[in-house]
């Protein structure tokens, strides 16, 4: 692997950079494979995954001994875990250090697709907190919806807006995560083809765009709120220099994680660095940590948003058909009384009553792609269930399960026809090793497969 000489030359002044070991790790080592468990679905690592060791900074993260074929693991499709490189999981530690577990937070993940950081943040928030996960590029927003649907939370909303649109929600968010689009050098080991796209000119374009994104969305963060900025680039211009830009141009204070307790950064190989103006950042080099190149920094906002918005109170609007809906949803949703729902174009979405106002504001101001858990449509008095409901954390234990073996699970995930004997008919959830995969409708002489067409597996395991 030939790393760009201009990149290597530019890194000599970067704290923690060591040319020989950096070049060597890109020549030799295979990138480690790591996954993060979905704590709402499992607390134990599935036994079939190759021998694992914990990621030290994330309680739900594990390194696998080798990279299995995730495509052919039904538990991957069930949202039991997310495949994520380990350095990014450091966000878990930042959240644990900065926030109390019972704090109700409004969190914006501004550049969220495909959803690695969002699924992690969703795992760390309590039900009263809200995660707004945003992706400006429409096609990428669809992948984000898919991954968050698999994660299954009722307190996650997905939007697809330009960062500047968030000024309409001035001072709304307690935490804003900007995992910025960047020149991507930190992922060269995993994606050598990205090397050809790297250039000093692209680094310049990237940091200019990073500044624009931060400036455009800055008003959305409340005074005293927390900004978490990260990239997967090694370039100083996108990292330490950006910290100085944030402190001088946006007037934020840099937070030193050492202030929050004894985090053994150097034992883990994480490099604590300082910008020219003394702002703090954390660098992950693949020759020092078991993970890919990553940079993260935390700030506190000191100033008020430019405009002051008095957010309206919103009361739950019960629909005329509330009773009928309750009876249709009560049989498929666990503890329905804990939730509320709304209907849009015939589709019903379940969410937490505490987020009534948020729903109203997000619908009014942004392009809302998903709110909470999509339940499905009503046909008469019955629910035609949506795939998302099967994968959600609210699916009732009373919904009949169709237990399948591995081959049947793969047939289901390919959307093939398959037959399993079942004593009952009607809507059932296909279940593999107790993990829900999606819906089927069992008829007297066949089973209709309702796995979403666009999510289906298109290949077969090699013999
Ligand atoms: N946070 C994601 C995760 O952990 O899975 C990865 C985010 S990726 C580094 C950056 C994202 O920013 C991409 O999904 C990209 O489409 C989006 N993006 C690109 N241009 C943007 C812009 N001008 N404003 C906001 N987001 C942008």
């Amino acid at each position: 692997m030939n790393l760009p000489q201009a990149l290597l030359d530019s890194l000599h002044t970067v704290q923690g950079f060591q040319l020989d070991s950096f070049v060597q790790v890109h020549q030799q080592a295979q990138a480690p494979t790591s996954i993060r468990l979905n704590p709402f679905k499992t607390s134990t690592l599935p036994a079939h995954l190759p021998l694992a060791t914990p990621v030290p900074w994330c309680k739900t993260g594990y390194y696998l001994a080798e990279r299995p074929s995730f495509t052919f693991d039904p538990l991957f499709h069930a949202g039991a875990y997310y495949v994520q490189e380990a350095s990014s999981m450091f966000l878990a530690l930042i959240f644990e250090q900065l926030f109390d577990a019972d704090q109700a937070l409004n969190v914006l993940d501004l550049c969220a697709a495909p959803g690695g950081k969002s699924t992690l943040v969703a795992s760390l928030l309590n039900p009263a907190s809200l995660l707004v996960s945003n992706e400006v590029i429409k096609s990428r927003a669809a992948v984000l919806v898919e991954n968050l649907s698999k994660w299954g939370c009722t307190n996650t909303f997905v939007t697809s807006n330009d960062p500047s649109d968030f000024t309409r929600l001035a001072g709304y968010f307690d935490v804003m995560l900007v995992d910025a689009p960047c020149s991507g050098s930190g992922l060269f080991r995993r994606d050598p083809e990205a090397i050809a796209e790297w250039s000093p000119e692209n680094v310049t374009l990237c940091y200019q765009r990073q500044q624009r994104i931060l400036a455009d969305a800055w008003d959305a963060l409340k005074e005293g709120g927390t900004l978490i900025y990260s990239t997967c680039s090694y370039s100083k211009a996108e990292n330490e220099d950006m910290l100085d830009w944030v402190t001088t141009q946006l007037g934020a204070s840099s937070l030193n994680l050492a202030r929050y307790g004894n985090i053994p950064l150097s034992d883990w190989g994480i490099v604590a660095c300082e910008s020219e103006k003394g702002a703090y950042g954390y660098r992950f080099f693949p020759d020092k940590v078991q993970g890919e190149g990553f940079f993260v920094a935390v700030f506190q906002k000191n100033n008020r948003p430019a405009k002051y918005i008095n957010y309206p109170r919103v009361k739950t609007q019960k629909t005329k058909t509330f009773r009928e809906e309750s009876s249709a949803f009560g049989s498929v949703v666990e503890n329905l009384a804990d939730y509320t729902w709304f209907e849009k174009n015939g589709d019903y979405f379940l969410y937490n009553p505490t987020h009534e106002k948020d729903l109203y504001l997000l619908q009014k101001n942004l392009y809302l792609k998903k709110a909470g858990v999509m339940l499905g449509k009503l046909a008469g008095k019955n629910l035609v269930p949506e795939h998302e409901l099967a994968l959600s954390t609210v699916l009732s234990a009373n919904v009949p399960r169709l237990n399948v073996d591995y081959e049947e699970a793969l047939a289901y995930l390919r959307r093939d026809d398959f037959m399993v004997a079942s004593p009952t008919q009607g809507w059932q959830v296909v279940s593999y090793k107790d993990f829900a995969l999606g819906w089927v409708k069992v008829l007297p002489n066949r089973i209709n497969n309702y796995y979403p067409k666009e999510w289906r597996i298109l290949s077969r395991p090699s013999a």
Side-chain angles (χ1 to χ4, degrees):
M1 185 184 296
N2 283 330
L3 296 168
Q5 192 56 46
L7 171 69
L8 297 177
D9 291 345
S10 72
L11 298 182
H12 280 295
T13 55
V14 162
Q15 280 161 282
F17 175 69
Q18 283 176 307
L19 180 66
D20 291 350
S21 56
F22 182 82
V23 170
Q24 210 178 11
V25 81
H26 283 86
Q27 304 305 348
Q28 294 174 346
Q30 270 215 324
T33 298
S34 45
I35 62 161
R36 194 168 32 72
L37 299 182
N38 182 340
F40 306 113
K41 299 195 179 188
T42 182
S43 56
T44 50
L45 193 80
H48 64 279
L49 290 174
L51 188 71
T53 48
V55 174
W57 45 84
C58 177
K59 292 185 180 107
T60 49
Y62 291 89
Y63 297 105
L64 303 185
E66 59 193 55
R67 192 173 182 90
S69 173
F70 293 113
T71 307
F72 301 117
D73 182 5
L75 267 50
F76 170 69
H77 300 277
Y81 61 87
Y82 189 93
V83 182
Q84 185 176 42
E85 73 80 24
S87 305
S88 302
M89 298 183 198
F90 191 69
L91 195 57
L93 189 127
I94 293 178
F95 261 75
E96 278 168 17
Q97 294 294 322
L98 262 61
F99 309 113
D100 292 334
D102 57 0
Q103 229 174 316
L105 298 169
N106 279 357
V107 182
L108 170 62
D109 183 1
L110 188 61
C111 312
K117 313 271 182 324
S118 277
T119 52
L120 173 54
V121 172
S123 310
L124 301 167
L125 296 180
N126 56 43
S129 295
L130 176 77
L131 171 63
V132 177
S133 193
N134 178 69
E135 169 57 44
V136 64
I137 296 174
K138 299 275 174 288
S139 55
R140 290 178 60 81
V143 183
L144 179 63
V145 166
E146 177 177 340
N147 284 326
L148 286 172
S149 299
K150 287 180 181 165
W151 219 247
C153 302
T154 51
N155 59 348
T156 309
F157 290 19
V158 177
T159 55
S160 184
N161 282 81
D162 187 85
S164 58
D165 295 340
F166 283 88
T167 49
R168 296 174 203 153
L169 292 177
Y172 202 68
F173 293 98
D174 302 284
V175 183
M176 184 160 80
L177 168 63
V178 179
D179 188 33
C182 69
S183 59
S185 45
L187 299 181
F188 281 170
R189 182 163 64 152
R190 292 176 130 210
D191 182 14
E193 284 170 22
I195 295 177
E197 283 157 37
W198 190 92
S199 67
E201 293 73 28
N202 193 31
V203 170
T204 304
L205 286 176
C206 286
Y207 82 71
Q208 288 170 344
R209 183 167 53 183
Q210 288 150 3
Q211 291 178 358
R212 212 166 43 239
I213 290 172
L214 285 165
D216 281 352
W218 188 239
D219 246 9
L221 189 62
K222 68 170 58 148
E223 185 179 7
T226 305
L227 166 70
I228 303 173
Y229 172 79
S230 61
T231 74
C232 58
S233 160
Y234 297 114
S235 295
K236 192 165 156 276
E238 297 174 78
N239 297 329
E240 287 88 343
D241 294 354
M242 279 297 296
L243 308 190
D244 286 339
W245 184 86
V246 171
T247 51
T248 54
Q249 299 300 311
L250 302 179
S253 312
S254 164
L255 295 188
N256 181 357
L257 289 183
R259 198 176 107 183
Y260 295 89
N262 191 15
I263 308 166
L265 292 172
S266 54
D267 292 356
W268 293 339
I270 300 167
V271 177
C273 53
E274 271 188 47
S275 69
E276 278 163 27
K277 293 193 163 68
Y280 305 97
Y282 302 89
R283 277 190 174 265
F284 295 67
F285 290 102
D287 49 323
K288 295 189 161 57
V289 296
Q290 246 193 303
E292 300 313 301
F294 184 61
F295 177 89
V296 66
V298 188
F299 300 89
Q300 188 172 39
K301 181 167 176 169
N302 296 319
N303 39 16
R304 274 173 181 254
K307 54 180 176 172
Y308 177 74
I309 298 183
N310 195 3
Y311 290 105
R313 282 167 155 263
V314 180
K315 275 211 226 119
T316 308
Q317 295 286 323
K318 290 210 165 118
T319 53
K320 284 190 195 125
T321 48
F322 181 78
R323 271 172 184 228
E324 282 167 28
E325 290 161 7
S326 301
S327 93
F329 303 156
S331 55
V332 288
V333 173
E334 199 77 52
N335 302 326
L336 183 66
D338 292 349
Y339 303 99
T340 187
W341 55 86
F342 78 102
E343 182 263 340
K344 192 171 181 203
N345 302 331
D347 290 315
Y348 284 85
F349 296 82
L350 190 83
Y351 65 106
N352 301 355
T354 42
H355 298 140
E356 199 75 48
K357 179 182 78 173
D358 309 279
L359 174 70
Y360 169 81
L361 287 169
L362 293 170
Q363 263 190 319
K364 197 165 162 245
N365 292 295
L366 299 170
Y367 181 51
L368 189 60
K369 301 255 321 168
K370 165 174 154 64
V373 171
M374 193 170 172
L375 295 175
K377 292 181 193 296
L378 280 179
K381 290 186 175 170
N382 298 316
L383 180 72
V384 178
E386 185 61 32
H387 184 64
E388 221 181 292
L389 170 61
L391 299 190
S392 76
T393 52
V394 297
L395 183 73
S396 165
N398 296 328
V399 173
R401 302 302 203 260
L402 188 73
N403 293 313
V404 295
D405 63 21
Y406 180 69
E407 293 304 329
E408 290 158 350
L410 288 190
Y412 175 69
L413 294 167
R414 281 195 301 266
R415 217 169 184 265
D416 287 349
D417 290 334
F418 71 104
M419 205 53 209
V420 176
S422 168
T424 48
Q425 291 183 18
W427 289 109
Q428 297 195 29
V429 163
V430 176
S431 174
Y432 173 71
K433 292 188 174 172
D434 287 335
F435 287 90
L437 298 180
W439 297 97
V440 286
K441 197 165 188 184
V442 179
L443 303 173
N445 52 358
R446 64 170 202 278
I447 292 177
N448 284 348
N449 186 338
Y450 281 85
Y451 195 72
K453 210 172 175 181
E454 59 283 12
W455 293 13
R456 73 193 191 280
I457 304 179
L458 295 169
S459 53
R460 285 167 193 275
S462 46

